[in-house]
């Protein structure tokens, strides 16, 4: 078989990697009616009424999922469509080993694209923000890494071949930030063999809120026998369902009372997403191909994607009225705009018998956010009156101390990977390569107080200062300014070799040698005349180099860097009893680079490592009508990085002892009878500390684990992790006259979860209660048309995906929860050409 023909077969399989469970004769009929081209692309292995082959590229080559000795959950093109999945939250709920936290504390933006993805319970932080450590889970779009420190990018999912979740450390092939696992979004590629097109129109309505809608489509245009272009576009509007209710708020120190009349609004968290994607594939003879790619997406989210869960401060009379379900009280505008453009180039070729692949990418992302920070202002007015006492206007009168955060982030990532692969049929076959990545993040967090004393003020400050302006110099109404530039560089050489010892036994050994070089510079703090700046030494009144005006900031507060090297090995022994039964044992290691604390007296934090010991199996039964895959694992997380909000709301990061996660993953797929299919997934974890967390480090930056009163004692459950998470999907495809029809039910369950490691803070914030949601779908199709009705969260269960507050003292004002989306009804029409 020529390379060109083999590559076309692999792309055909990649485009049809589906996990939906169907009896094949009925499935092929349904596919022919709804998606005429799909029936022609069914792998030949799927004949005879058995389950369809699932092709993945987790090990950098196209392989049958059942032959890959790795714990992988794949949601294929058809299953994404069947479950009406368009966003990150929607596919994560069907990945048993994966949970997510949406940021919102410490001034972080709240909304789509700003979240923390967690795999196998490997988490210690309460959310992700600009000054925190790198994520523990890597995210890829095709060949390019799109992991960002600001949060997991929420790529709109349409015309996607599949989503792959690779559980456990992927340190050899995927490197930094794939410490606990990797998520891969694989797009459908241009196909020179035929013209194809589709459009979908959807109208939906969310309970307690507003209607929304969706329009999306793609076209695949052959440009001859060896080239094609694929264009995709989408527009989505999601109705809001959280109310900002009218209220007044009194700051007790000086009796200042405010109201939120200009910002009170029902269902104020609506979101609009627009985007497009294009790819060109050109075969240059039989041995080479080139695929340029570009994607752009813009998200505009109003409001706040969380609701208030409790208000202890009401008992003290600080607020005028309580709030109910899906309500909160904010006193300034909330909004987020997130824009990104991702470009990539993949070149595939053949040198002698070896495959050579180059993948390069450039990602540019910027976001603007406005976040109400009045909870912080009230909490400090109550607990630390000296903080709000100096807040006055030009005449020295005490004013409304409410802060609003204006955030601006500019993010760029450049990555290059070159790898060489030997022929798969060699007794010893390998993949080897090199990788380089540079991430630049410009960070601006402007904490503003309206009418704050500025230049021209006339009051006499106490104690006497050099002037009375409270602004950070040159920044109107700015009480505090964070202006930073963060650069993270990664270099690596990697390789994996597999020895097929016999037809049944194989041994894989891999190693990645890495180097990281990370830096942070900028300004953080108060203006030169702010008494708090004088007292704390933060800002212009502290140690600051006024010969450098850093990106518009008045001076340079810090300029620090750190670097390190290391190795992440992997060893896997695989036994394949026959074509349908495989068992493997793996030792693997993942890592996160170390980094810089912007808090001046804290040292850099060290790299952390995750060691994984795993036994897994891939099995097919009943003449390929039943699949059962799973894994037992034991993971040790040593010297792990822990980030939290400390004094002045500054993120602090330190290494924090050790933790262990033991668990089991299960995935079942069953073609029950003609047209009837069942899929189930279950993850059971025990994520806990194995040493005390004391919140202290020694002079060398190592964690101190022996103390009289640990902040989190050994055996404390790690945050962001559910001990049990699972899903069950039942589907029935059947004929109805000249129509093909189906009904489908999908149930998802998640057990209790905590969102902070420290016992005091987690008791203040409270636990996420266990919850389960049920989704139903009904549909029918004929010829090239399809009509689907989706009922999501049928019983309107208020599951919580994350709990947080705005500062270390803010539980006295309000805690917040990011909810599962309320009951939503959607009607979708689709046509293929």
């Amino acid at each position: 078989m020529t390379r060109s023909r083999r590559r076309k077969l692999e792309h055909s399989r990649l485009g049809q990697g589906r996990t939906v469970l169907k009896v094949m004769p009925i499935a092929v009929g349904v596919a022919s009616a709804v998606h005429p081209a799909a029936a022609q692309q069914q792998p030949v292995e799927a004949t005879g009424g058995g389950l369809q082959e699932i092709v993945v590229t987790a090990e950098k080559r196209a392989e049958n999922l059942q032959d890959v000795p790795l714990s992988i959950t794949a949601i294929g093109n058809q299953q994404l469509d069947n479950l009406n999945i368009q966003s990150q939250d929607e596919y994560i709920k069907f990945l048993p080993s994966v949970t997510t936290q949406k940021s919102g504390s410490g001034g972080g933006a709240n909304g789509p694209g700003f979240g923390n993805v967690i795999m196998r319970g490997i988490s210690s932080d309460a959310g992700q923000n600009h000054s925190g450590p790198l994520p523990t889970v890597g995210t890829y779009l095709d060949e390019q890494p799109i992991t960002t420190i600001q949060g997991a990018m929420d790529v709109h999912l349409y015309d996607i071949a599949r989503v792959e979740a690779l559980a456990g450390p992927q340190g050899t092939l995927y490197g930094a930030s794939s410490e606990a696992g990797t998520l891969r979004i694989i797009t459908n590629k241009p196909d020179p063999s035929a013209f194809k097109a589709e459009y979908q129109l959807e109208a939906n309505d969310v309970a307690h809120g507003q209607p929304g809608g969706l329009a999306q489509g793609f076209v695949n245009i052959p440009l001859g026998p060896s080239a094609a272009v694929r264009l995709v576009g989408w527009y989505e509007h999601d109705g809001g369902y959280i109310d900002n209710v009218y209220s007044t708020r009194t700051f007790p120190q000086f009796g200042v009372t405010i109201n939120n009349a200009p910002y009170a609004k029902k269902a104020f968290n609506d979101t609009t997403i627009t985007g497009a994607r294009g790819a060109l594939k050109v075969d240059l003879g039989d041995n080479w191909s080139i695929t340029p790619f570009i994607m752009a997406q813009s998200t505009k989210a109003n409001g706040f994607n969380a609701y208030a869960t409790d208000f202890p401060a009401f008992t003290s009379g600080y607020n005028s009225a309580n709030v109910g379900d899906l309500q909160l009280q904010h006193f300034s505008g909330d909004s987020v705009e997130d824009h990104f453009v991702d470009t990539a180039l993949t070149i595939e070729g053949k040198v002698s018998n070896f495959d050579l692949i180059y993948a390069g990418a450039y990602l540019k992302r910027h976001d603007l956010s406005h976040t109400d920070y009045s909870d912080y202002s009230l909490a400090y007015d109550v607990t630390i009156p000296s903080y709000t006492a100096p807040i006055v206007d030009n005449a020295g009168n005490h004013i409304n101390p409410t802060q609003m955060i204006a955030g601006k982030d500019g993010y760029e990532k450049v990555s290059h990977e070159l790898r060489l692969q030997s022929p798969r049929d060699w007794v010893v076959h390998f993949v080897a390569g090199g990788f380089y990545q540079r991430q630049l993040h410009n960070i601006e967090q402007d904490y503003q107080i309206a009418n704050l004393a500025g230049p021209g003020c006339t009051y006499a400050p106490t104690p006497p200062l050099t002037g009375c302006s409270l602004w950070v110099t040159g920044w109107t109404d700015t009480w505090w300014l964070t202006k930073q530039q963060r650069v993270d560089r990664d270099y690596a050489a990697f390789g994996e070799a597999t020895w097929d010892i016999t037809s049944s036994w194989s041994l894989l050994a891999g190693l990645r040698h890495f180097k990281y070089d990370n830096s942070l510079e900028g300004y953080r703090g108060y203006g030169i005349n702010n008494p708090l700046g004088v007292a704390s030494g933060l800002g212009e009144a502290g140690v600051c180099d006024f010969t450098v005006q850093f990106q518009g900031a008045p001076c340079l507060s810090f300029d620090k860097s750190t670097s390190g090297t290391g190795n992440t090995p992997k060893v896997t022994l695989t036994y394949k009893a026959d074509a349908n039964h495989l068992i493997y044992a793996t030792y693997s290691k993942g890592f996160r680079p170390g980094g810089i604390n912007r808090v001046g007296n804290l040292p850099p934090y060290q790299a952390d490592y995750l060691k994984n010991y795993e036994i897994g199996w891939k099995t097919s039964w009943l003449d390929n009508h039943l699949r059962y895959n799973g894994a037992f694992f034991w993971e040790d997380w040593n010297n792990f990085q822990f980030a939290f909000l400390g004094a002045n709301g500054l993120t602090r990061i330190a290494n924090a002892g050790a933790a262990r996660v033991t668990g089991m993953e299960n995935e079942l797929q069953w073609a029950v009878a003609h047209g009837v299919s069942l899929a189930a997934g279950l993850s059971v974890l025990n994520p806990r500390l194995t040493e005390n967390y004391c919140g202290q480090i020694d002079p060398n930056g190592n964690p101190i684990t022996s103390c009289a009163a640990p902040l989190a004692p050994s055996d404390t459950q790690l945050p962001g992790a559910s001990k049990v998470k699972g899903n069950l999907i039942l589907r029935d495809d059947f004929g109805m006259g000249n129509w093909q029809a189906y009904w489908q039910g999908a149930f998802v369950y998640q057990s209790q979860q905590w969102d902070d490691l420290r016992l005091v803070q987690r008791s203040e914030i409270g636990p996420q209660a266990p919850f389960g949601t049920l989704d139903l779908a009904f549909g029918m199709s004929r010829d090239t048309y399809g009509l689907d009705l989706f009922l999501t969260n049928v019983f309107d269960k208020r599951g919580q995906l994350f709990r947080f507050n705005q500062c270390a003292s803010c539980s006295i004002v309000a805690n917040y929860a990011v909810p599962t989306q309320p009951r939503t009804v959607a009607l979708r029409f689709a046509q293929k050409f």
Side-chain angles (χ1 to χ4, degrees):
M1 182 183 296
T2 67
R3 173 180 173 80
S4 177
R5 184 180 172 191
R6 183 172 68 251
R7 193 185 305 128
K8 289 177 181 177
L9 174 60
E10 289 175 352
H11 285 317
S12 173
R13 290 178 175 177
L14 291 176
Q16 296 300 317
R18 302 171 179 171
T19 56
V20 64
L21 306 177
K22 297 180 179 179
V23 176
M24 292 312 301
I26 299 296
V28 173
V30 173
S32 299
V34 182
H35 306 301
Q40 303 172 16
Q41 299 178 17
Q42 298 293 340
V44 295
E45 295 85 352
T47 60
L51 295 168
Q52 184 184 15
E53 176 183 299
I54 303 168
V55 177
V56 296
T57 51
E59 294 190 313
K60 305 287 188 177
R61 65 172 81 231
E63 300 172 284
N64 183 351
L65 182 144
Q66 294 301 106
D67 295 331
V68 181
L70 182 66
S71 183
I72 307 173
T73 300
I75 305 178
N77 176 277
Q78 190 62 54
Q79 189 76 314
L80 292 168
D81 200 50
N82 290 345
L83 295 169
N84 201 28
I85 290 175
Q86 276 124 23
S87 69
Q88 182 186 80
D89 286 348
E90 290 170 346
Y91 71 74
I92 281 180
K93 77 177 186 179
F94 291 104
L95 299 175
S97 294
V98 186
T99 55
T100 182
Q101 296 174 321
K102 293 297 185 184
S103 63
S105 57
N110 180 282
F114 297 88
N116 187 23
V117 177
I118 299 163
M119 295 186 76
R120 286 187 173 177
I122 298 300
S123 172
S124 59
D125 312 331
Q128 194 83 18
N129 73 19
H130 54 80
S131 296
L134 289 166
T136 61
V137 174
T139 305
Y140 276 68
L141 179 63
D142 291 325
E143 291 283 348
Q144 63 263 33
I146 58 170
T147 315
T148 78
I149 186 59
Q150 188 70 16
M153 290 171 52
D154 198 347
V155 175
H156 180 81
L157 298 187
Y158 175 65
D159 194 40
I160 299 297
R162 67 192 174 280
V163 174
E164 297 176 3
L166 286 53
Q170 307 299 320
T172 52
L173 292 183
Y174 294 98
S177 289
S178 284
E179 181 177 41
T182 303
L183 290 176
R184 305 182 69 235
I185 302 169
I186 311 299
T187 63
N188 283 323
K189 304 302 186 292
D191 180 4
S193 66
F195 174 86
K196 303 171 188 175
E198 180 195 55
Y199 69 89
Q200 295 183 355
L201 301 174
E202 178 182 305
N204 56 62
D205 188 63
V206 59
H208 318 286
Q210 299 173 330
L214 170 69
Q216 55 191 7
F218 81 86
V219 60
N220 182 90
I221 306 173
L223 303 176
S226 59
V229 63
R230 197 176 191 102
L231 304 174
V232 187
W234 57 91
Y235 171 86
E236 177 182 2
H237 179 75
D238 298 325
Y241 49 84
I242 292 174
D243 301 338
N244 187 21
V245 297
Y246 174 80
S247 179
T248 63
R249 173 166 289 180
T250 299
F251 294 89
Q253 185 178 177
F254 298 105
V256 175
T257 298
I258 62 174
N259 69 69
N260 65 349
Y263 309 104
K265 184 181 179 182
K266 291 182 66 66
F268 82 140
N269 65 317
D270 60 297
T271 301
T272 301
I273 302 171
T274 56
R277 188 175 78 236
L280 171 68
K281 183 177 184 295
V282 180
D283 290 328
L284 306 174
D286 289 339
N287 294 326
W288 290 86
S289 70
I290 181 171
T291 307
F293 170 98
I294 185 169
M295 176 179 175
Q297 181 172 297
S298 176
T299 301
K300 296 183 179 181
N302 296 312
F304 203 67
N305 277 4
Y307 67 101
T309 58
D310 39 42
F311 271 75
F314 279 120
T315 59
S316 302
Y318 302 139
N319 295 282
S320 64
N322 211 329
V323 295
D325 181 36
L326 298 176
Q327 294 182 341
L328 51 71
Q329 297 172 331
H330 274 191
F331 292 80
S332 56
D334 292 288
S335 65
V336 171
E337 293 186 19
D338 181 25
H339 311 276
F340 68 82
V341 177
D342 181 41
T343 58
L345 177 66
T346 302
I347 302 174
E348 300 174 84
K350 198 170 184 65
V351 179
S352 185
N353 290 328
F354 298 93
D355 292 328
L356 184 67
I357 299 97
Y358 165 77
Y362 174 71
L363 170 65
K364 185 176 181 65
R365 181 185 187 189
H366 68 277
D367 61 75
L368 302 170
S369 63
H370 293 85
T371 307
D372 177 85
Y373 212 38
S374 59
D375 291 357
Y376 174 94
S377 303
L378 177 58
Y380 273 51
D381 196 56
V382 173
T383 61
I384 312 175
S386 59
Y387 179 85
T388 53
I391 299 176
V392 295
D393 62 15
N394 277 0
N397 301 311
H398 292 286
I399 59 173
N400 171 16
T402 295
Q403 296 186 40
M404 186 274 290
I405 309 171
K408 182 188 298 183
D409 293 87
Y411 181 90
E412 296 182 15
K413 174 187 287 234
V414 177
S415 64
H416 301 278
E417 180 172 296
L418 183 67
R419 63 179 185 270
L420 188 70
Q421 294 174 314
S422 67
R424 180 64 178 82
D425 56 2
W426 284 13
V427 173
V428 177
H429 48 92
F430 66 86
V431 55
F435 177 79
Y436 168 74
Q437 174 178 272
R438 180 180 185 270
Q439 303 178 77
L440 181 146
H441 192 176
N442 287 312
I443 303 158
E444 180 180 308
Q445 297 280 297
D446 183 0
Y447 293 71
Q448 300 175 356
I449 300 176
N451 302 314
L452 185 66
C457 54
T458 58
Y459 76 101
T462 303
L465 302 174
T466 58
C468 57
S469 173
L470 299 175
W471 295 2
V472 173
T473 300
W475 293 74
T476 303
D477 285 339
T478 296
W479 176 251
W480 172 284
L481 177 66
T482 296
K483 190 73 173 172
Q484 301 172 183
Q485 184 175 92
R486 174 174 177 163
V487 180
D488 297 293
R489 299 176 181 86
D490 295 279
Y491 313 81
F494 63 89
E496 285 186 353
T498 302
W499 174 26
D500 292 331
I501 304 170
T502 69
S503 59
S504 300
W505 291 90
S506 63
L507 178 67
L508 178 149
L511 183 71
R512 189 182 191 97
H513 177 71
F514 67 85
K515 176 184 177 181
Y516 64 86
D517 185 0
N518 299 337
S519 63
L520 185 69
E521 60 179 328
Y523 173 91
R524 85 279 186 263
Y526 304 99
I528 197 166
N529 296 316
N530 193 314
L532 300 180
V534 174
S536 63
L538 295 173
E540 295 179 73
V543 178
C544 209
D545 182 359
F546 283 88
T547 64
V548 179
Q549 291 190 339
F550 180 79
Q551 295 185 356
C555 52
L556 184 67
S557 300
F558 54 90
D559 184 358
K560 301 187 284 186
S561 63
T562 186
S563 61
T565 61
N567 300 288
T568 53
K570 179 180 181 180
V571 179
T572 300
L573 181 65
T574 304
Y575 173 67
K576 192 167 186 177
D578 54 44
N580 297 317
H581 302 89
L582 174 151
I583 187 171
Y584 67 89
T586 290
Y587 165 74
S588 58
K589 192 174 181 181
F591 77 101
R592 273 192 302 180
I596 298 297
N597 271 289
R598 60 174 171 154
V599 179
N601 59 348
L602 290 181
Y605 52 93
Q606 305 168 10
D608 62 9
Y609 296 89
L610 180 68
K611 296 179 180 179
N612 175 56
Y613 309 88
E614 181 174 328
I615 295 176
W617 56 92
K618 302 285 183 72
T619 64
S620 299
W621 308 86
L622 303 179
D623 193 24
N624 198 34
H625 284 67
L626 177 70
R627 286 189 192 133
Y628 174 47
N629 299 339
F632 292 106
F633 55 88
W634 174 311
E635 297 187 336
D636 285 327
W637 196 18
N638 296 321
N639 208 30
F640 65 86
Q641 300 165 11
F642 177 61
F644 63 95
L645 296 179
N648 295 292
L650 293 177
T651 300
R652 294 168 177 254
I653 311 164
N655 296 89
R660 175 172 296 157
V661 179
T662 55
M664 180 183 184
E665 294 162 341
N666 304 268
E667 185 176 14
L668 177 71
Q669 302 177 345
W670 184 18
V672 181
H674 281 291
V676 180
S677 61
L678 182 146
L682 177 67
S683 174
V684 181
L685 303 176
N686 183 21
R688 60 188 180 86
L689 290 177
T690 54
E691 295 179 333
N692 293 333
Y693 171 61
C694 297
Q696 304 171 41
I697 54 177
D698 66 19
N700 296 318
N702 299 309
I704 295 172
T705 58
S706 178
C707 54
L711 303 181
S714 178
D715 211 39
T716 297
Q717 180 178 331
L718 295 180
S722 295
K723 289 188 174 183
V724 178
K725 186 184 177 196
N727 64 78
L728 179 68
I729 304 171
L730 181 63
R731 183 180 175 93
D732 183 14
D733 290 285
F734 55 92
M736 193 171 63
N738 294 326
W739 294 79
Q740 294 292 334
Y742 76 91
W743 68 264
Q744 176 180 276
F747 178 74
V748 175
Y749 173 80
Q750 182 173 305
S751 66
Q752 177 178 285
Q753 187 172 302
W754 296 92
D755 285 304
D756 201 297
L757 180 67
R758 300 161 295 172
L759 296 191
V760 171
Q761 284 74 16
R762 70 166 47 181
S763 67
E764 292 174 347
I765 295 174
Q768 292 178 210
F771 68 89
T773 60
L774 175 67
D775 302 340
L776 297 175
F778 309 88
M780 54 198 308
S781 59
R782 183 177 178 180
D783 299 326
T784 62
Y785 302 96
L787 188 66
D788 301 89
L789 175 67
F790 299 98
L791 304 174
T792 305
N793 194 2
V794 173
F795 299 107
D796 200 25
K797 293 294 184 180
R798 199 69 67 240
Q800 296 180 359
L801 302 177
F802 185 43
R803 291 178 64 93
F804 64 95
N805 56 39
Q806 290 193 323
C807 67
S809 304
C810 286
S811 283
I812 70 166
V813 180
N815 292 322
Y816 296 90
V818 178
T820 55
Q821 184 164 305
R823 180 177 54 248
T824 302
V825 180
L827 183 65
R828 185 181 70 192
F829 172 80
Q831 183 180 11
K832 279 223 174 207
F833 302 92

